[in-house]
Amino acid sequence: MTIEVAAAEDVPQFGLLVRQHRMRIGLTQRELADFSTVSVRAIRDLEQGRARRPRQDTVRLIADGLRLGLRARADLETAANQGRTSWAVKAGYEADPPAPPIATDVLLGREAETSVLVDELASGAERLVTVVGVAGVGRTRLALEVATRLHTADRTPVLWCPVTELPAAPRPGGDRLTTLVRACVGQLLGTGAEDDDLAALVETVADRPPLLVVDGVTDADPRPDRFARLLRDCPGLRILVTADRPLDLPGERSFLLTPLAGPEPGDPVDRTTLEQAPATRLFLDRARRVRPDLRLTDTDAPLVADVCRRLDGLPLALQAAASWLVVYNVPTLHQCLHGDPADLLHHLAGAEGGIRLREALDRRLAALPAADRDLFAALCARDDGFGLPDVMALTGRSLPDSGRTVRDLVLHGLVRPSYEAGQSRFRILHLVRAAQLCAPAAVPA
C-alpha cells in the first residue's frame, strides 16, 4: 500500500496540485503512473516534496494522465516553474548570453593584472579566484575589466552579482535569472538556507558555463560545501570574487591587488615621467576632467609625485584628491596633504568616495585580532618601513609565526611589500597610518 501523506508546508505547489487533481478524479499513484507513463516513484517523490524540479516532459505526461483542461494545465506548468528555472529563462540565457555592466571609464595602469586573470580564467587554470586588497584599490573595476574581456572574446556569459544587493527579494516583473543568481550567491555566502537554487542555476547554465562575479564581499560566512558543489556540478563554471580578504576556500586562488606604482622618493620627476607612472597618470587624467586647462609647471611635477605617494597610489584616493583641483592649485593641494597624516583622511572625507574610504579603513583595522592590532599600532609609530626581524623583536614570535602575521597584514591590504637587494621590507600605507592615528577609539580594545 502506498503511503501518500506529506506535510503540506514541505511540499511545493506543483506536488500539491498533482495530488489534488489525482484524488479529485479518484486515481491512485499506480493508476496515474499507468495513464501518464511516469513512474510511481517519481509521482510519489513529487507529491511528497522530495523532487522539486520536474522536467518539462514529466509535467506534460502528468497533465495528460490527469486529463487536465487548458486552464488547469497552465496552472500546473506555472507551479512547476516555481520549483525550478523556467525553460524560457534557460532559452534566453543561451540565445543572448548576459554581459557584465558597462564601464564608464578607462582602466589605467592594470594591464598586467588584467592579462593574468583573463588568462587564468579563460584557460580554466583557475576556477575560483578572489581579488583582495585595501579599500579603494580598484578591485571592482579590475573584475569588470576581466569580465568584459572574457565576454568580448567569445561571448562568455557573465553573471554579475553585487553583494550589496543581497538578499534576493523577488520583485514584480523582475529578471528571473538575476533573482536566481542573487539567491544562489546568498546561499554560497551563508545567508540562504536552501540549496535548491544552486541546482536550478546549474540546470540553467550547464550547457554554456558562465563567469560568476561576486562583487564586494565583506562580512560573510562562506559555505565551502556549496562552493564545491556548484563547481562540481557545473564543469566549466568560473567564479571571480572581490573581497576585503581571502575566503579561505579549498581551491581558492587569492589574487592580491596592490596600489598603483608611482615615482619613488629620490627619483627624478618631470612632466614626462608623471605621464608614465600609473599612479600619477591616473591622477592627471582625473585632474584634467575637472580642469581641462591644467598645465603643470616644472615646480608642480615633484609636488604631484609626492601627493600620489602620500595617497599610496590608491585609485579612489587619487580620484578624490584630483577633484579638489576645481578650487585648489597643485601647491595648495600638496600643502593640505603634507602636514598631519590625519589631514589626508579629513581632506578626502569632503570629496566623493572619501567617506567610504575612511569607513572601510576603520572597519579593516577593527577586524584585526587584538594581538595584531597592538603590533600594528607599534609599527605605525615607526617612521620607516619594517622587516620580519622587527616583528620578531616586537612580538617575541618565531620567524614562521611572524611571517604568517605579516602575510595576513599584506593580504588585508594594510601594508605594502617591497623586495630590494634580496631583502623583504614592508611599509604601512600612509592612509592606513592616518586612519590608525586619527581614530584610535574606533578600534576596539
Side-chain angles (χ1 to χ4, degrees), residues 48-345:
Q48 294 182 354
R50 288 197 293 268
R52 295 171 175 263
R53 292 180 303 279
R55 296 172 56 186
Q56 182 177 8
D57 56 352
T58 300
V59 177
R60 176 179 55 79
L61 291 171
I62 289 177
D64 291 343
L66 292 169
R67 306 292 192 269
L68 296 181
L70 293 178
R71 175 79 177 269
R73 182 183 292 265
D75 290 342
L76 193 68
E77 292 177 350
T78 299
N81 289 338
Q82 292 175 353
R84 59 171 175 75
T85 307
S86 72
W87 308 297
V89 172
K90 180 177 176 66
Y93 167 84
E94 293 179 350
D96 186 18
I102 297 175
T104 58
D105 61 350
V106 175
L107 182 63
L108 298 176
R110 295 297 192 190
E111 185 57 39
E113 295 93 333
T114 302
S115 297
V116 167
L117 289 178
V118 168
D119 289 345
E120 291 181 352
L121 292 168
S123 66
E126 300 291 349
R127 294 187 62 200
L128 173 58
V129 178
T130 302
V131 178
V132 299
V134 70
V137 77
R139 297 169 302 195
T140 296
R141 184 62 184 86
L142 176 63
L144 181 57
E145 187 71 15
V146 171
T148 300
R149 293 195 187 184
L150 288 173
H151 182 78
T152 301
D154 60 3
R155 299 194 73 204
T156 297
V158 176
L159 304 177
W160 186 278
C161 182
V163 174
T164 54
E165 297 184 6
L166 299 179
R171 291 175 287 187
D175 183 342
R176 293 189 62 187
L177 178 59
T178 299
T179 299
L180 174 62
V181 170
R182 291 176 183 172
C184 290
V185 170
Q187 291 163 18
L188 293 174
L189 298 181
T191 61
E194 298 295 332
D195 284 338
D196 289 341
D197 290 321
L198 295 180
L201 181 64
V202 170
E203 179 182 301
T204 302
V205 306
D207 293 337
R208 190 163 188 175
L211 172 70
L212 171 61
V213 182
V214 183
D215 179 42
V217 178
T218 51
D219 298 324
D221 184 20
R223 291 286 301 271
D225 57 328
R226 291 175 178 171
F227 273 93
R229 174 186 167 190
L230 183 58
L231 290 169
R232 180 199 66 212
D233 292 349
C234 190
L237 169 73
R238 290 142 294 171
I239 303 176
L240 178 61
V241 181
T242 68
D244 58 359
R245 61 181 181 275
L247 302 183
D248 296 327
L249 296 170
E252 176 187 21
R253 187 271 210 258
S254 296
F255 185 94
L256 175 62
L257 185 60
T258 58
L260 293 173
E264 293 294 329
D267 289 349
V269 176
D270 55 30
R271 285 173 288 180
T272 301
T273 58
L274 289 183
E275 298 287 355
Q276 296 173 346
T280 49
R281 181 184 172 196
L282 175 63
F283 176 84
L284 292 175
D285 177 80
R286 296 304 185 267
R288 286 166 181 151
R289 294 188 183 190
V290 298
R291 287 271 306 279
D293 61 338
L294 180 66
R295 297 291 183 271
L296 293 180
T297 66
D298 291 337
T299 303
D300 290 338
L303 300 183
V304 169
D306 193 49
V307 165
C308 293
R309 281 194 294 266
R310 290 178 177 276
L311 297 177
D312 303 303
L314 290 177
L316 181 61
L318 295 173
Q319 295 172 38
S323 70
W324 279 92
L325 290 177
V326 72
V327 292
Y328 289 165
N329 56 28
V330 171
T332 302
L333 178 63
H334 178 262
Q335 182 181 357
C336 288
L337 298 179
H338 193 270
D340 186 339
D343 286 345
L344 277 69
L345 292 176

